[in-house]
Amino acid sequence: MSLATPGDDAGRAYPRRVDVAIVGSGPAGAAYARILSESAPQATIAVFEAGPLVSDPPGAHVKNIENAALRAEAQRRSEGPRPLGPGAPADTLDDYAADRERLVRPGTFLLARGWRQDGEDGLPAAAMSANVGGMGAHWTAACPRPGESERIPFVDGLDELLDEAERLLEVSPKVLADAPLADVVRARLGAALDEGRAPGREVQPMPLAVRRTADSRILWSGADVVFGDVTRANPRCGLYPDSPVTKVLTRDDAVTGVRVRDRRTGEEHDVEARHVVVAADSLRTPQLLYASGIRPRALGRYLNDQPQVVLAVRLRDPGPAPADTPGGPITAQSGVSWVPFTDAEPFHGQVMQLDASPVPVEGDDPVPGSIVGLGWFCAKDISESDRLEFDESEVDENGLPAIRVRYRLTERDHENIERARAAIRRAAQALGDVLDPEPLVFPPGASLHYQGTVRMGERDDGRSVCAPDSQVWGVRGLRVAGNGVIPTATACNPTLTSVALAVAGARAIAHDLEEKPCSNAN
């Protein structure tokens, strides 16, 4: 087996048994494969992905594909059963601020039905990706650390785990910090917003999972970076695209393996495994557990999204046009700035360059980098009643019970959205000329930051699905991973935290494998 050579022939062979089966190849699933490849090199690992291989190396961010036609093809192939049309944009910022209830991003596909129930807000923009690398092939690469009440209080060594997640994702706050207009943006934001903020929570460069090449090109990190060379070179780690897992197999309250369907032939295969990690995403992970008869009380409950407010502005007096800067798929004129979450202001701000104005701009052409977009993400008022339900009378394209979303914005949520609208106006006015008549509130689900549906907890009390090491309560050898594990109300981008939690879970598996001999896949 080899992660680097997954094979495209219909006659491929699945292993009969492995030590660890990982369901999903996004950043969290990739983190399990990476840590196990480093810490338990004798372990046999299989990574099963429902979608196709769309980039090289496996899991690479599609924005690193410079050819626009090839990038669009990769995105269409990531859009599962409902790909966008051939004329759809290939840039995630194209049409970004469209005022549509069913807002969908390139590389993703919407939940077909069940996204809202009568009298509720629902998640009309609930979306997923189906490809090697998951949403990590399409994300914005923002990796802020959680702060104040966003932090999970019962996870031991959280800061060290976040350090490790930054290593795996290759996170740095410096790559775009020296962009020509970045100092202007941060200085103006700081003057307007920093008063009263605790040290470390002031306006600052956004930590980003991006890297600069020797020729000054800037590349986005995807799951390929998390897998790393050690996983790609691991002959005991195999990657299986187009291989949806349809059931987690159990016996006597312990996992025994997974049932996987080869999408190319339609045949199903049972693969024995001592450990199973389900990292399918916050919608499909609880769906697979439910379909497998694993149904703890909290499964699918405590669903939360991040209400999102956006606004565009033209920088006032930006100075002379910056010299051209190489950047490849990323332009770096104004960088990416971060307004951290605080408990006093429970939202998180991201300010980044827009390559084109969302509305016509009068007068001279704008200085490159001087049109910036502001996005404020709000922490959700978490409720057990916000949940996913699963309809066994109807199945989706993978033959799993259909998803039904039960979701409401509370009075507190609406209050926080209004506070975020006021805060984003204040920030925009500090920067320059506001281009939109009013801040736009995106439809629920547009953040793509769904959390809580397989949340961790300190004890098995019916309010969580897994322990602090991501072990599912009552099912030995089964772990869950991804943003759905996060139990707190967050406003910051959740990927760094979910990868940190995956590191802890992978270390626990590695420790178990140290004590018991590993098997050989065959």
Side-chain angles (χ1 to χ4, degrees):
M1 294 190 296
S2 172
L3 186 70
T5 56
D8 291 318
D9 62 303
R12 63 180 169 182
Y14 290 94
R16 288 177 52 200
R17 66 178 65 88
V18 293
D19 291 303
V20 185
I22 301 171
V23 183
S25 62
Y32 270 87
R34 170 74 169 273
I35 295 299
L36 289 168
S37 293
E38 291 177 342
S39 303
Q42 298 308 308
T44 52
I45 306 164
V47 182
F48 299 105
E49 170 56 53
L53 181 67
V54 301
S55 55
D56 183 24
H61 200 297
V62 300
K63 278 202 171 184
N64 297 337
I65 303 172
E66 294 197 42
N67 182 285
L70 293 178
R71 183 166 64 252
E73 179 185 357
Q75 289 170 322
R76 298 298 84 83
R77 294 183 65 214
S78 301
E79 292 162 1
R82 291 173 289 282
L84 300 175
D91 189 326
T92 52
L93 291 180
D94 286 351
D95 208 20
Y96 180 78
D99 189 5
R100 290 194 300 270
E101 183 179 52
R102 295 283 277 162
L103 190 63
V104 61
R105 310 290 186 212
T108 73
F109 60 97
L110 296 173
L111 191 64
R113 58 186 65 85
W115 45 271
R116 182 166 58 204
Q117 310 309 311
D118 290 345
E120 299 179 0
D121 296 288
L123 292 180
M128 298 162 277
S129 292
N131 54 274
V132 172
M135 201 70 79
H138 311 283
W139 67 318
T140 63
C143 286
R145 288 198 175 207
E148 301 187 13
S149 62
E150 291 181 307
R151 292 172 60 87
I152 306 169
F154 54 81
V155 172
D156 292 336
L158 179 59
D159 286 316
E160 187 274 330
L161 294 172
L162 292 166
D163 289 344
E164 185 70 345
E166 288 176 343
R167 177 182 76 92
L168 298 186
L169 288 160
E170 295 191 7
V171 174
S172 171
K174 299 178 180 179
V175 175
L176 301 184
D178 59 354
L181 298 178
D183 283 345
V184 172
V185 171
R186 289 197 299 272
R188 294 179 185 178
L189 288 174
L193 305 176
D194 276 350
E195 184 177 357
R197 286 178 169 262
R201 306 307 288 174
E202 306 95 341
V203 173
Q204 58 194 276
M206 175 68 78
L208 296 168
V210 300
R211 59 203 185 279
R212 194 183 295 272
T213 65
D215 61 355
S216 294
R217 294 177 65 245
I218 298 172
L219 300 178
W220 299 59
S221 292
D224 65 316
V225 173
V226 181
F227 280 125
D229 290 340
V230 66
T231 311
R232 283 188 286 273
N234 183 358
R236 294 175 175 270
C237 182
L239 171 65
Y240 299 88
D242 292 309
S243 299
V245 170
T246 59
K247 189 174 184 180
V248 176
L249 305 175
T250 62
R251 184 175 59 249
D252 298 330
D253 297 326
V255 294
T256 59
V258 296
R259 180 164 297 154
V260 58
R261 179 184 302 124
D262 187 340
R263 198 184 294 279
R264 303 170 190 183
T265 65
E267 296 179 352
E268 289 195 329
H269 305 263
D270 286 358
V271 179
E272 296 178 22
R274 295 167 58 187
H275 297 270
V276 173
V277 179
V278 183
D281 70 27
S282 296
L283 303 180
R284 289 173 289 186
T285 290
Q287 179 192 38
L288 178 58
L289 265 60
Y290 184 92
S292 305
I294 302 166
R295 302 174 182 179
R297 172 177 167 74
L299 185 71
R301 296 178 181 269
Y302 303 97
L303 168 66
N304 67 94
D305 179 39
Q306 295 173 347
Q308 186 179 358
V309 181
V310 297
L311 192 61
V313 65
R314 181 179 183 176
L315 292 180
R316 185 185 308 111
D317 302 323
D324 290 339
T325 57
I330 298 179
T331 51
Q333 300 289 6
S334 53
V336 182
S337 298
W338 175 32
V339 183
F341 165 97
T342 68
D343 289 341
E345 294 192 299
F347 25 82
H348 141 100
Q350 184 169 315
V351 181
M352 61 189 295
Q353 176 178 331
L354 298 178
D355 291 333
S357 173
V359 297
V361 176
E362 296 181 1
D364 297 336
D365 289 338
V367 169
S370 65
I371 304 296
V372 296
L374 296 83
W376 258 233
F377 297 79
C378 303
K380 177 73 172 71
D381 187 15
I382 294 179
S383 170
E384 183 183 13
S385 62
D386 291 325
R387 65 194 186 276
L388 303 175
E389 296 179 340
F390 304 101
D391 185 353
E392 295 182 273
S393 68
E394 180 183 351
V395 297
D396 67 5
E397 54 274 2
N398 290 319
L400 300 181
I403 296 172
R404 298 282 181 266
V405 177
R406 308 300 304 266
Y407 192 81
R408 288 186 174 91
L409 296 173
T410 67
E411 182 177 344
R412 182 187 297 178
D413 290 327
H414 287 292
E415 290 173 356
N416 283 339
I417 290 171
E418 287 307 308
R419 292 180 63 196
R421 284 166 56 89
I424 204 171
R425 284 193 202 97
R426 188 166 71 252
Q429 290 163 357
L431 290 174
D433 300 321
V434 180
L435 299 178
D436 299 310
E438 287 292 332
L440 174 64
V441 180
F442 277 162
S447 78
L448 307 179
H449 295 169
Y450 325 125
Q451 299 165 63
T453 54
V454 285
R455 71 202 306 248
M456 62 172 50
E458 291 185 86
R459 60 190 64 86
D460 184 7
D461 58 3
R463 294 184 294 177
S464 61
V465 171
C466 66
D469 65 354
S470 299
Q471 167 85 39
V472 173
W473 300 117
V475 186
R476 296 189 307 279
L478 177 61
R479 282 180 166 78
V480 285
N483 297 342
V485 174
I486 299 171
T488 52
T490 70
C492 73
N493 311 65
T495 301
L496 183 73
T497 301
S498 65
V499 170
L501 300 177
V503 169
R507 286 174 175 174
I509 293 177
H511 178 73
D512 181 79
L513 294 175
E514 281 180 5
E515 297 183 343
K516 303 171 186 176
C518 295
S519 66
N520 291 317
N522 54 67

